Structure formats: C-alpha cells, structure tokens
Amino acid sequence: EAGVAQSPRYKIIEKRQSVAFWCNPISGHATLYWYQQILGQGPKLLIQFQNNGVVDDSQLPKDRFSAERLKGVDSTLKIQPAKLEDSAVYLCASSLVGLAGSQNEQFFGPGTRLTVL
Amino acid sequence: SQQGEEDPQALSIQEGENATMNCSYKTSINNLQWYRQNSGRGLVHLILIRSNEREKHSGRLRVTLDTSKKSSSLLITASRAADTASYFCATGRGGGTSYGKLTFGQGTILTVHP
C-alpha cells in the first residue's frame, strides 16, 4: 500500500515570497490533515479536511496561509507571503473515517522542510 | 495549543535497557496515541489506547493509561539503537464533530547507545 506522498521535500525561499506544498493521501482516506512542526516541538494542526470540506482551520493563519482539497483527494497548502517564523516542517497526514465516537491512527508523509531566509 | 506534556524531554540509555516515557494531558479524551519520529522524517504510529482501556501491548511496547490522573506511559523493553528517535503522545477526542483531531505533545528524545 502506497503511503502519503508529499512534495517538494525541501524548499528554501526569501521572506515575502510565496510557496506551495502538495500532498497525496493514502487511497480511500477521507480525512486529510496539514501540520506545522517547528524544530524541537510537536506537530501543530493547521487544517483538517473531511473529503473536500474543511472541518477545522482554527489554527491556520488565514491572512497568509491557504489550503484546498479539490475533488477530495490531493491537497495543496500555500503560504503567501512567507515570514521568517514560517520556517518549519510541514507534514501531511491522512486517516480513515472512524465510526461514530471512534478514532483511527493517522498516517504521515515525509514532510516538506521549509526554510525562509 | 499543545495538550500533552512528555516527561522527560530527553532520555539516554544503553542498548538492552528499558525506556519509559510519560505523558500528561489536561482535558478529557477519547483515546491517546503514541508516535515515533526519526530524524528528518514523518511520524509513524506506534499504538492507540482508548479511554476505556488501562493497558495495551504491541511487541516490545507497553502503554498504560490512567484517565483519573490524566496520564499515560510508554515503555520500550530491551531497547535497540534503532529505537533512537523522538516519541510523541497525541490525544484525541474521538470522531463526531472533532473528526479525529489529534493534539500532540512536545515529545521525548530517546537516544539508545550501542
């Protein structure tokens, strides 16, 4: 079974530039998550999709970050314009939808390491 | 916001020894999960324990959950150099409206010396 795919693996940009990350979840996984992981910290959820709808974007800095999941499969996360503090690893994860009240494990991609200079 | 707090922040042991990591959380949960992250890579799911369970085993891993103390522990027995990684606990509030959202702790860095 193919895992969660992400690209690019590494990206270096100047501040105020824009950048986009791509994620392809595991086939059949309805739920897709984007996390930001700053060095030395645990992942922080940015946005969560259920099929192609957003169910949680409460921690997404909407003035500069945007994400979409067209057709309920692939997803892109964009930052425009980037700031120095956006330097982090951006992780994509997917999971099956659990039965009411239950929860399943999340499968993570390798991440994109973003450096903003 | 980070819900889980892992303790210790870093742990250094010799191969063959056991490693114990602890996690405390603040709000009620549906389940608690442990993940491993090797340097520069994505997270790998290790084990999930539900709020109505007290202990779970998977290979060399043993997880306990005490909902009255809002704490969990991960024990790795007979550690190997390949176990060197960061370990994160993550709390989930279940399906329903939260759709399986997880809140991760800061992690414990485990180093196993050959």
Side-chain angles (χ1 to χ4, degrees):
Chain A
E1 178 182 85
V4 176
Q6 288 188 249
S7 68
R9 290 296 312 277
Y10 305 91
K11 191 73 177 179
I12 300 174
I13 61 173
E14 301 277 339
K15 60 183 179 184
R16 291 188 288 274
Q17 286 186 325
S18 59
V19 64
F21 312 125
W22 173 83
C23 173
N24 181 236
I26 292 173
S27 177
H29 282 194
T31 311
L32 185 146
Y33 314 80
W34 281 102
Y35 290 88
Q36 180 192 59
Q37 186 177 23
I38 293 173
L39 185 65
Q41 298 183 17
K44 182 184 84 170
L45 180 69
L46 292 175
I47 189 168
Q48 180 177 345
F49 292 93
Q50 184 76 8
N51 296 309
N52 61 346
V54 175
V55 296
D56 189 336
D57 63 356
S58 57
Q59 298 194 88
L60 186 74
K62 297 179 186 65
D63 58 334
R64 298 183 302 105
F65 286 64
S66 65
E68 61 182 9
R69 191 183 183 196
L70 299 175
K71 300 180 181 178
V73 181
D74 294 8
S75 177
T76 56
L77 176 69
K78 297 179 182 178
I79 307 175
Q80 182 179 11
K83 293 185 175 181
L84 296 177
E85 59 260 37
D86 297 333
S87 293
V89 176
Y90 291 85
L91 296 163
C92 178
S94 68
S95 69
L96 290 166
V97 178
L99 297 173
S102 72
Q103 185 157 357
N104 294 313
E105 64 185 282
Q106 294 184 15
F107 294 82
F108 284 79
T112 296
R113 183 176 298 276
L114 174 66
T115 302
V116 182
L117 303 175
Chain B
S1 62
Q2 307 270 337
Q3 149 129 284
E5 292 185 7
E6 280 96 335
D7 170 57
Q9 290 188 331
L11 181 61
S12 182
I13 59 174
Q14 295 295 128
E15 213 167 27
E17 294 181 339
N18 295 341
T20 300
M21 288 159 268
N22 303 296
C23 170
S24 60
Y25 57 92
K26 298 175 182 175
T27 62
S28 62
I29 63 172
N30 171 280
N31 67 90
L32 187 144
Q33 304 182 29
W34 286 90
Y35 287 80
R36 183 187 72 224
Q37 184 176 38
N38 291 90
S39 179
R41 298 195 175 183
L43 283 79
V44 174
H45 180 265
L46 295 176
I47 197 164
L48 182 155
I49 186 166
R50 304 195 187 278
S51 59
N52 61 352
E53 298 175 309
R54 292 296 167 258
E55 188 171 313
K56 206 162 184 180
H57 297 254
S58 177
R60 294 184 296 113
L61 306 179
R62 172 178 167 253
V63 169
T64 61
L65 179 64
D66 187 335
T67 53
S68 66
K69 295 181 179 179
K70 292 187 168 59
S71 67
S72 173
S73 68
L74 171 67
L75 168 67
I76 304 174
T77 60
S79 62
R80 305 165 181 168
D83 295 328
T84 294
S86 293
Y87 291 80
F88 295 91
C89 70
T91 54
R93 302 189 69 178
T97 56
S98 72
Y99 286 97
K101 175 182 176 178
L102 288 178
T103 305
F104 284 82
Q106 302 275 36
T108 293
I109 300 172
L110 173 66
T111 304
V112 182
H113 300 280

